[in-house]
Amino acid sequence: MTEPEIISVLRPDGTADPSLDPGLPDPELLSLYRHMVLLRAIDEKAVALQRSGRIGFFVPSTGQEACSIGAGHAVRDGDWIFPAYRDHGVGLMRGYPLAALVGQILGNTTDATRGRQMPNHWCDRSIHLVSVSSPVATQLPHAVGAAYAAKLRGERIAVLTTFGDGGTSTGDFHAAMNFTGVFRLPVVFFCENNRYAISLPVEDQTATGTLAEKARAYGLPGVRVDGNDVLAVRKVVADAMARSRAGEGGTLIEALTYRLGPHSTSDDPTVYRSEEEVAAWRGKDPIRRFAAFLKGRGLLEDPAAEEEGAKETVRRAIEAGEGAPPVPLSSMFEDVYAEIPWHLVEQRDSLLSGKG
Amino acid sequence: MAEVTLIKAVNDALATEMARDPSVCVLGEDVGRDGGVFRATEGLLRRFGPERVIDTPLNEGGILGMAIGMALNGLRPVAEIEFSDFIYPAFDQIVSEMAKMRYRSAGQFTAAVVVRAPSGGGIKGGHYHSQSPEAYFIHTAGLVVVMPSTPSDAKGLLASAIRGEDPVIFLEPKALYRTVKGEVPQGEHLVPIGKGRIVRGGADLTLVTWGAMVPVAEKAAAAAAKERVDVEIIDPRTLWPLDIGMIEASVNRTGRAVVLHEAPRTCGFGAEISALIHERCFLHMKAPVARVTGFDTPFPYALEKSYLPDPERTLRAIRASMAF
């Protein structure tokens, strides 16, 4: 069986393939770059915060910035996003404020979700960025339902859902792909094949040669893209979203990338992968690769200054968020139901009175 | 008012709510062309079309996950699981996703899905068509759990569940689908969520029960009356959040309580009701709360009649409580 080709736009020499170059205006190209740099700065700071005990946990996306930022750029107003926990970049790209993102990590009163979930579990209804769950791929069938509702109302929107290679092994992946095919729904499944689901390499995750080829079993097109090439990711996701908006159904996209850091701040990747492998992928860093392209176009002069600026922006956001008070104890009992029922009133009052 | 079966009342509630609100959709396996394996959705496809009466591929987790997404994006989905025994493949979507969406997003998103599932034994269905899973869902923060025992309650509670803002597990006692008939108001009919029903007033003992055990309780109470024991029967109807006020008032008056349910005993809902009564009514009580329940075994096909509580076992518990 021939494997689907891997779509790349950025060539090794730092130029773009003219036949695939989406021709984005200069400010948009710079915006893609700056969001990637910001995403990495958030990663570095958040991991440091976890190491110093100031936050409990973090899931980094270093190495996968082209995926989140490229996919996020393909989302339009009215579209819905059902992201995985590693894809905060999609939200950032859609205008999810840095202060809100930092607030969620801190889990204090700056957190719009009131400290209810561990870091990396963002949401923002105003941009249709749906609440993230920790179990893998549970959001995929939700994307199907949201797409169904939009189609029923005759809305020309698309739904983007993101997940990792491990997600393709779940029952929810099968259900969502199958339902999307059967109901011909506008869902774009963006799978970031970063080679590992915690410690398990993708070769031990599936017996198929590619993940994209699974699409065929559900009657959907499957596409492979260079996941370290932000222009290529942006192109294939935008094409798939446009196809969905035009009523032509869903797409499975497999983005080939690599998680340079650990799965989370709780694991040690040196026990399951080699230094050589990581070094090889470090050479394919998506930010450096895009910086070379922008330099060639005369759009970027000083990448180091951009990185310093992003670090400073993140540092200030953390500083602004860290001083906020903790969430009030009584809030623990709110939002369980639409109205607080008697048993939670009793438990709350008992706790607040010191008798609980 | 017309006399109808419980299953017809469920069908009536779905049709009435779908006619009233175009965002109400029904989805599940066989709900369209087949009208549901118990015919709960019969006629809906013809009336409301395949876009709102959705025959889904066979995948319970997919049905629940899809329903959650539909609710997030403005619809009011009513998902059918063919038998409550088949709900476990969807358990993660129900307890970790649907039940928690409001809390984890601090009210930004809600997944007000109604999950209908025929529940309980008594139809010679064996292990996979007879289970009573209510305790799993009552234990889950964020879920409302409802079980009607009359046609009128089935229609009114289902309509309230569809209009409500919380996710609801709506368990239908399938043994009663066609064995009970009752008057059901035509057109819009609502029974409030969270309010119990006094099935039968009485002075000597409070018998708390629900679903298919209500008729069993009525038989036991009639037998007890012959022994001059006046039993009050309370059907909470909404199992969670429970109408504890009604139970508390009753037990404070009678001083005795028996809880009757067909689900297994250990960590069954009867255990919670027993604990609540002991916490709240202790000084009024003349006997400890007794439980009449199914056994802590898998559901047995050939011994179904012995597994399910009957009036005789219930009467023995009533007698023991009176003699304490």
Side-chain angles (χ1 to χ4, degrees):
Chain A
M1 187 158 45
T2 55
E3 292 189 348
E5 63 164 332
I6 300 167
I7 297 168
S8 285
V9 174
L10 294 172
R11 293 163 168 156
D13 67 0
T15 61
D17 180 339
S19 68
L20 296 172
D21 186 348
L24 294 175
D26 292 348
E28 303 231 356
L29 293 171
L30 266 181
S31 171
L32 287 174
Y33 174 75
R34 287 185 173 141
H35 278 93
M36 289 167 74
V37 171
L38 179 64
L39 192 52
R40 184 155 307 178
I42 292 167
D43 257 24
E44 288 171 359
K45 185 67 181 174
V47 169
L49 287 178
Q50 192 278 335
R51 297 292 182 235
S52 59
R54 286 153 74 188
I55 63 172
F57 177 82
F58 195 74
V59 177
S61 60
T62 293
Q64 295 179 227
E65 291 89 348
C67 287
S68 281
I69 300 303
H73 190 267
V75 179
R76 288 194 196 159
D77 291 348
D79 291 342
W80 282 69
I81 309 161
F82 290 78
Y85 43 67
R86 206 181 300 283
D87 271 320
H88 35 301
V90 178
L92 270 183
M93 197 64 215
R94 295 301 305 152
Y96 181 57
L98 179 61
L101 185 147
V102 165
Q104 198 281 327
I105 292 173
L106 296 171
N108 59 25
T109 46
T110 60
D111 178 8
T113 56
R114 315 178 89 185
R116 297 274 169 75
Q117 291 214 82
M118 69 201 300
N120 289 84
H121 293 70
W122 295 278
C123 71
D124 186 343
R125 189 175 174 84
S126 70
I127 53 170
H128 295 173
L129 180 74
V130 181
S131 176
V132 177
S133 46
S134 299
V136 166
T138 56
Q139 73 276 18
L140 273 53
H142 305 171
V144 171
Y148 191 94
K151 188 177 175 184
L152 187 69
R153 287 193 294 261
E155 294 169 0
R156 289 268 164 151
I157 61 119
V159 177
L160 175 72
T161 184
T162 72
F163 51 102
D165 36 304
T168 63
S169 299
T170 66
D172 281 331
F173 170 79
H174 162 66
M177 294 281 288
N178 191 42
F179 280 40
T180 296
V182 168
F183 295 124
R184 205 174 165 80
L185 294 174
V187 185
V188 175
F189 296 88
F190 185 66
C191 175
E192 292 170 47
N193 177 358
N194 68 8
R195 311 292 306 164
Y196 290 89
I198 306 188
S199 65
L200 197 74
V202 68
E203 293 79 12
D204 292 340
Q205 193 74 239
T206 179
T208 55
T210 74
L211 298 176
E213 72 193 71
K214 292 176 190 288
R216 197 170 166 203
Y218 303 101
L220 303 180
V223 181
R224 295 185 102 196
V225 64
D226 181 342
N228 283 22
D229 176 346
V230 68
L231 293 183
V233 170
R234 192 269 176 198
K235 178 187 164 43
V236 297
V237 178
D239 288 351
M241 297 287 274
R243 217 183 134 259
S244 277
R245 289 189 204 101
E248 291 171 35
T251 304
L252 170 64
I253 297 167
E254 177 187 5
L256 293 143
T257 186
Y258 194 79
R259 155 168 57 83
L260 286 170
H263 159 69
S264 77
T265 47
S266 301
D267 82 316
D268 173 10
T270 63
V271 301
Y272 56 76
R273 61 188 196 186
S274 70
E275 286 283 333
E276 294 75 27
E277 181 183 296
V278 179
W281 277 95
R282 200 161 271 135
K284 302 177 189 174
D285 188 308
I287 295 180
R288 255 187 290 157
R289 188 166 162 195
F290 194 45
F293 165 80
L294 293 176
K295 276 185 169 178
R297 287 260 179 126
L299 295 175
L300 180 66
E301 286 181 5
D302 189 355
E306 294 282 347
E307 287 165 21
E308 278 311 308
K311 281 180 188 171
E312 180 59 17
T313 301
V314 174
R315 195 191 62 74
R316 282 195 195 148
I318 302 273
E319 198 176 86
E322 265 198 320
V327 288
L329 204 49
S330 62
S331 74
M332 182 156 64
F333 302 91
E334 295 163 5
D335 304 315
V336 182
Y337 295 92
E339 290 176 19
I340 305 180
W342 65 268
H343 66 289
L344 292 179
V345 169
E346 288 186 0
Q347 290 170 28
R348 179 194 65 195
D349 293 350
S350 171
L351 178 65
L352 295 181
S353 69
K355 295 173 188 162
Chain B
M1 284 204 286
E3 278 251 318
V4 299
T5 59
L6 197 148
I7 190 75
K8 186 69 191 157
V10 167
N11 182 268
D12 187 5
L14 292 170
T16 305
E17 290 305 302
M18 290 186 82
R20 185 188 65 82
D21 179 354
S23 67
V24 177
C25 294
V26 166
L27 72 157
E29 289 148 23
D30 304 311
V31 298
R33 278 159 284 201
D34 197 36
V37 288
F38 287 99
R39 305 289 176 265
T41 53
E42 196 164 46
L44 299 181
L45 175 67
R46 199 172 53 248
R47 193 165 162 199
F48 300 105
E51 290 184 329
R52 291 179 63 200
V53 182
I54 309 158
D55 269 326
T56 66
L58 200 165
N59 188 305
E60 284 79 10
I63 292 167
L64 256 296
M66 178 170 168
I68 291 166
M70 292 166 75
L72 292 173
N73 195 0
L75 297 181
R76 292 204 167 258
V78 183
E80 177 177 297
I81 299 296
E82 288 192 331
F83 289 86
S84 66
D85 314 65
F86 304 165
I87 211 165
Y88 305 112
F91 198 67
D92 178 54
Q93 285 290 347
I94 293 172
V95 305
S96 292
E97 304 295 317
M98 183 175 89
K100 304 303 191 297
M101 193 58 78
R102 177 187 294 277
Y103 194 73
R104 77 190 207 197
S105 68
Q108 290 188 57
F109 294 98
T110 56
V113 176
V114 177
V115 187
R116 292 183 39 250
S119 186
I123 59 144
K124 300 194 187 308
H127 170 63
Y128 291 107
H129 300 79
S130 306
Q131 295 174 59
S132 298
E134 62 263 30
Y136 294 113
F137 301 113
I138 294 166
H139 192 62
T140 298
L143 294 180
V144 169
V145 183
V146 174
M147 195 189 292
S149 65
T150 69
S152 174
D153 281 357
K155 179 175 177 182
L157 287 164
L158 182 53
S160 294
I162 290 169
R163 296 187 194 188
E165 298 302 322
D166 292 313
V168 177
I169 304 295
F170 195 86
L171 298 170
E172 296 164 6
K174 60 180 172 290
L176 302 186
Y177 267 158
R178 295 173 199 282
T179 58
V180 300
K181 277 192 169 185
E183 303 243 307
V184 176
Q186 289 179 318
E188 290 193 26
H189 167 54
L190 297 170
V191 172
I193 301 284
K195 298 286 177 207
R197 174 174 76 99
I198 296 176
V199 178
R200 178 191 196 281
D204 298 329
L205 181 142
T206 304
L207 179 51
V208 183
T209 193
W210 53 90
M213 289 294 106
V214 171
V216 172
E218 287 179 295
K219 283 182 190 155
K226 290 181 185 159
E227 299 175 17
R228 300 191 177 190
V229 177
D230 189 15
V231 173
E232 177 152 300
I233 301 174
I234 291 177
D235 173 6
R237 306 190 285 194
T238 298
L239 303 186
W240 201 255
L242 182 67
D243 188 349
I244 188 62
M246 179 177 280
I247 295 170
E248 196 175 338
S250 176
V251 177
N252 281 344
R253 191 161 40 77
T254 63
R256 292 186 167 88
V258 173
V259 190
L260 165 65
H261 63 65
E262 60 179 282
R265 170 170 303 219
T266 302
C267 293
F269 190 41
E272 180 61 35
I273 294 177
S274 173
L276 285 166
I277 291 172
H278 281 121
E279 284 169 0
R280 286 156 189 271
C281 308
F282 189 70
L283 293 177
H284 298 269
M285 292 182 70
K286 301 166 190 158
V289 177
R291 286 181 285 166
V292 184
T293 69
F295 300 102
D296 290 342
T297 68
F299 195 93
Y301 171 70
L303 296 172
E304 175 179 62
K305 280 195 171 168
S306 303
Y307 178 90
L308 291 170
D310 60 10
E312 186 54 39
R313 271 170 64 193
T314 310
L315 188 59
R316 283 205 293 273
I318 292 169
R319 284 186 192 132
S321 179
M322 295 304 296
F324 184 81

